[in-house]
């Protein structure tokens, strides 16, 4: 590995470091390492970070994006599930960015409930494809200080997260993300900038935190209705929510009380519509989490 402070990791450094550590990227952990410095800097620019801003990165891997975030002057706390990579990244940062403000948390991101240091205001990450949506939703729920998110995910996942009502790709991830934030699809990322090269395309999705819909329903209740509505997409809401409300007739009554046509499908509703439906739930209903 090069010992040049300030340099980002290139293809040769990525392979040399992985080989020295005995790291073989696995599909189980969704490991695909970015080796193109130009791509890293594009991602960092798109994140619009402020100097000194506290950023959480999930799955830093060998540190390609980490070094780019630190180069931009961010204060970074990285969450890494792979113990070998978690043990190495601090050394990588020490060599390349010795003055940087950096901490690593060796843990599964889905199990992290607290982070060291100042609360993060931004999340920037190349998320493992196999857990991208649950990790994103979990962090938005657990860390309300997050104002902005920029994550690289599988292109079709980016489409789903940013989709609006009526879109072919609109579904559960779209609605649940909309509870927390306004999402938009950002840059496309070539599969050729990764090692190993994935067999899917990637894209960035940007999210800006906003207040959830004004409602007396809890988040858990709203999400329970969302899950039920999309469990069988071809069903009308009256049919899809019959189990939730106890019968088709009860579901229809609840939908009409919420101002929603019972003959519609879930893909036509926005998050505020689902919140109004959830307000009609029996008191004990709606315990499904993100």
């Amino acid at each position: 590995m090069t010992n040049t402070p300030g340099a980002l990791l290139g293809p040769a450094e990525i392979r040399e470091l992985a080989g020295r550590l005995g790291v073989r990227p696995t599909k189980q952990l969704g490991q695909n390492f970015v080796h193109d410095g130009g791509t890293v800097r594009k991602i960092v620019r798109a994140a619009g970070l402020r100097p000194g801003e506290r950023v959480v990165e999930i799955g830093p891997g060998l540190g390609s994006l980490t070094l780019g975030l630190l180069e931009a002057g961010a204060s970074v706390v990285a969450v890494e599930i792979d113990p070998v990579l978690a043990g190495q990244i601090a050394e990588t940062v020490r060599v390349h960015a010795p003055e940087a403000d950096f901490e690593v948390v060796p843990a599964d991101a889905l199990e992290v409930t607290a982070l060291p240091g100042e609360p993060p205001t931004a999340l920037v990450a190349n998320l493992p494809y196999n857990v991208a949506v649950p990790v994103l939703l979990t962090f938005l729920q657990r860390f309300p200080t997050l104002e902005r998110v920029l994550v690289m995910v599988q292109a079709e996942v980016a489409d789903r997260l940013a989709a609006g009502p009526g879109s072919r790709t609109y579904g559960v991830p779209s609605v649940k993300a909309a509870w927390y934030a306004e999402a938009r699809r950002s840059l496309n990322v070539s599969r050729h900038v990764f090692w190993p090269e994935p067999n899917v395309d990637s894209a960035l999705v940007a999210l800006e935190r906003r207040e959830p819909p004004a409602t007396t329903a809890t988040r858990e209740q709203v999400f329970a209705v969302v899950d039920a509505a999309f469990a069988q997409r071809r069903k009308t809401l009256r049919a899809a929510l019959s189990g939730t409300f106890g019968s088709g007739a009860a579901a229809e009554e609840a939908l009409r009380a919420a101002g929603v046509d019972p003959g519609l499908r879930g893909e036509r509703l926005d998050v505020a519509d689902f919140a109004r439906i959830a307000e009609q739930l029996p008191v004990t209903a709606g315990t499904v989490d993100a």
Side-chain angles (χ1 to χ4, degrees):
M1 183 173 66
T2 177
N3 289 322
T4 305
L8 300 184
L9 299 180
E13 289 82 7
I14 289 285
R15 286 175 172 79
E16 188 273 332
L17 186 53
R20 180 157 54 82
L21 294 173
V23 170
R24 295 183 179 180
T26 69
K27 289 185 179 180
Q28 181 182 2
L29 296 180
Q31 292 172 322
N32 298 93
F33 304 126
V34 180
H35 59 62
D36 179 66
T39 299
V40 168
R41 290 189 172 107
K42 282 182 182 178
I43 294 170
V44 173
R45 284 196 299 272
L49 302 174
R50 300 182 292 269
E53 185 168 13
R54 186 65 163 176
V55 179
V56 58
E57 181 187 7
I58 299 164
L62 292 168
S64 302
L65 179 56
T66 310
L67 294 177
L69 294 170
L70 294 171
E71 181 182 73
S75 165
V76 177
V77 55
V79 180
E80 175 55 62
I81 190 173
D82 187 318
V84 174
L85 297 178
Q88 171 61 37
I89 194 166
E91 174 63 15
T92 299
V93 169
R94 187 193 67 78
V95 170
H96 288 268
E99 303 300 319
D101 183 1
F102 174 78
E103 295 177 81
V104 60
V105 176
D108 182 341
L110 289 170
E111 297 177 0
V112 170
T113 57
L115 293 168
E118 291 293 316
T121 54
L123 187 162
V124 184
N126 170 22
L127 289 180
Y129 289 159
N130 54 340
V131 292
V133 171
V135 165
L136 173 62
L137 295 176
T138 294
F139 266 68
L140 285 169
Q141 188 263 316
R142 290 181 181 166
F143 300 98
T145 58
L146 289 174
E147 302 168 358
R148 303 183 321 286
V149 172
L150 184 71
V151 290
M152 182 157 51
V153 295
Q154 188 174 337
E156 79 174 46
V157 173
D159 290 337
R160 289 174 186 165
L161 287 167
S167 165
R168 179 178 57 84
T169 54
Y170 186 70
V172 172
S174 322
V175 185
K176 290 185 177 180
W179 174 265
Y180 300 104
E182 180 178 355
R184 62 176 175 83
R185 202 179 189 281
S186 186
L187 304 172
N188 293 319
V189 181
S190 168
R191 63 183 69 185
H192 303 306
V193 304
F194 295 95
W195 177 76
E197 188 172 307
N199 56 9
V200 295
D201 294 318
S202 301
L204 297 176
V205 59
L207 298 99
E208 292 276 346
R209 173 82 72 171
R210 66 182 178 194
E211 289 297 316
T215 179
T216 57
T218 65
R219 176 183 59 84
E220 291 84 0
Q221 289 174 320
V222 176
F223 284 11
V225 171
V226 172
D227 288 335
F230 285 99
Q232 298 182 64
R233 292 183 66 104
R234 296 182 63 84
K235 284 190 173 183
T236 65
L237 288 165
R238 183 188 191 279
L241 298 178
S242 62
T244 302
F245 285 96
S247 70
E252 179 167 347
E253 182 180 353
L255 288 160
R256 293 197 184 281
V260 175
D261 181 349
L264 292 177
R265 294 184 174 91
E267 63 209 44
R268 308 300 302 184
L269 275 56
D270 65 17
V271 66
D273 295 325
F274 284 108
R276 290 200 309 277
I277 297 169
E279 290 175 356
Q280 310 302 317
L281 283 168
V283 176
T284 56
T287 59
V288 176
D289 206 345

